[in-house]
Amino acid sequence: MGDDPGKGFGTVADWSVPTGSAGLDEQELDGVTDEDLVNDEDVEDEDVDDEDIVDDEADEVEDDDEADFSSLEEEGEVAADYIEGLLDIADLDGDIDMDVEGDRAVVSVVGATLDELVGDDGEVLEALQELTRLAVHRKTGMRARLMLDVGGFRVRRRSELAELGRSIAAEVERTGEPKKLRAMSPFERKIIHDAVAGAGLRSESEGEEPNRRVVVFPVG
């Protein structure tokens, strides 16, 4: 909006009244002028109503965003408490950081002796993340999509997998043959898919967990 509600309605001027019919023409002129005023008022009311609707919708979106952010913060806090309890039980030292990235909570554990919480290729970390999500679900009643990272493993892994995805995409483009990768976690497959798409190729996941894997296809 932002346009003047009355813009586009001209002013009636230079009316010529023939002799002997002044009363009738004045009534007609009054009728035209009154109708224009009524139309102007209607337009003003419609503009106000539209602006009110837009403002209401904007307020609702803002309220929803605040509610979503608050829910994600709650997820992070519950997850942090759960992880802190596990660290105490295992007698492990670690600092816990909480953040919200996009549409998910992120809980990171930083410490010098946390390799046992990651495992080979992050298998222990994946299991720990699922346990943490279940703990959050039991506490909040909401399905959690939080991401758990330990010792910066996921950050390093993301960089490695992005490079792998670009390398595989280049190989497939050169040979013209599809390439099937080893089984990966959903986190890992997502990074490969993004890297392949960024290279202009297509990829799909096939198989069932935990043996689900990415297949990269040549163009066409």
Side-chain angles (χ1 to χ4, degrees):
M1 278 172 268
D3 294 332
D4 184 357
K7 187 176 180 180
F9 290 85
T11 303
V12 179
D14 297 331
W15 281 79
S16 176
V17 181
T19 304
S21 57
L24 179 59
D25 288 336
E26 287 174 358
Q27 291 177 0
E28 290 176 350
L29 177 59
D30 290 340
V32 171
T33 305
D34 290 343
E35 185 175 81
D36 287 343
L37 292 175
V38 170
N39 288 339
D40 285 344
E41 292 172 355
D42 289 343
V43 172
E44 290 174 357
D45 290 342
E46 289 174 5
D47 284 349
V48 170
D49 291 342
D50 288 345
E51 290 174 357
D52 289 342
I53 292 173
V54 171
D55 290 341
D56 290 343
E57 291 176 348
D59 290 341
E60 290 176 2
V61 170
E62 184 176 350
D63 290 342
D64 289 343
D65 289 343
E66 290 177 355
D68 290 343
F69 187 82
S70 177
S71 298
L72 294 176
E73 283 188 322
E74 182 183 3
E75 283 186 18
E77 291 172 358
V78 173
D81 289 342
Y82 179 76
I83 294 299
E84 185 176 10
L86 289 180
L87 292 177
D88 289 341
I89 293 173
D91 195 23
L92 296 172
D93 294 327
D95 296 326
I96 301 176
D97 294 330
M98 295 177 294
D99 197 5
V100 174
E101 295 181 1
D103 60 350
R104 71 172 65 199
V106 178
V107 177
S108 301
V109 185
V110 182
T113 58
L114 296 174
D115 289 345
E116 54 267 61
L117 295 181
V118 176
D120 296 336
D121 288 332
E123 292 178 356
V124 176
L125 176 57
E126 289 297 329
L128 185 57
Q129 177 175 270
E130 289 306 311
L131 288 174
T132 306
R133 288 177 173 179
L134 287 174
V136 172
H137 176 71
R138 290 185 60 183
K139 182 74 172 181
T140 66
M142 297 181 295
R143 179 176 178 273
R145 296 184 61 250
L146 69 89
M147 179 178 291
L148 176 65
D149 193 11
V150 173
F153 172 82
R154 292 195 188 278
V155 175
R156 295 191 301 272
R157 190 66 175 145
R158 186 187 300 275
S159 177
E160 295 169 356
L161 288 170
E163 180 59 34
L164 174 63
R166 289 189 290 268
S167 175
I168 295 297
E171 178 184 342
V172 170
E173 188 173 25
R174 183 179 66 254
T175 63
E177 297 293 331
K179 178 77 172 182
K180 182 181 293 186
L181 282 65
R182 64 171 180 80
M184 294 182 177
S185 69
F187 165 77
E188 294 172 322
R189 294 196 303 269
K190 174 68 165 56
I191 297 171
I192 295 292
H193 285 310
D194 289 345
V196 171
L201 273 66
R202 180 174 63 89
S203 61
E204 296 179 359
S205 293
E206 66 175 30
E208 301 295 332
E209 300 289 2
N211 298 314
R212 195 164 173 78
R213 63 192 65 222
V214 175
V215 182
V216 181
F217 298 93
V219 176

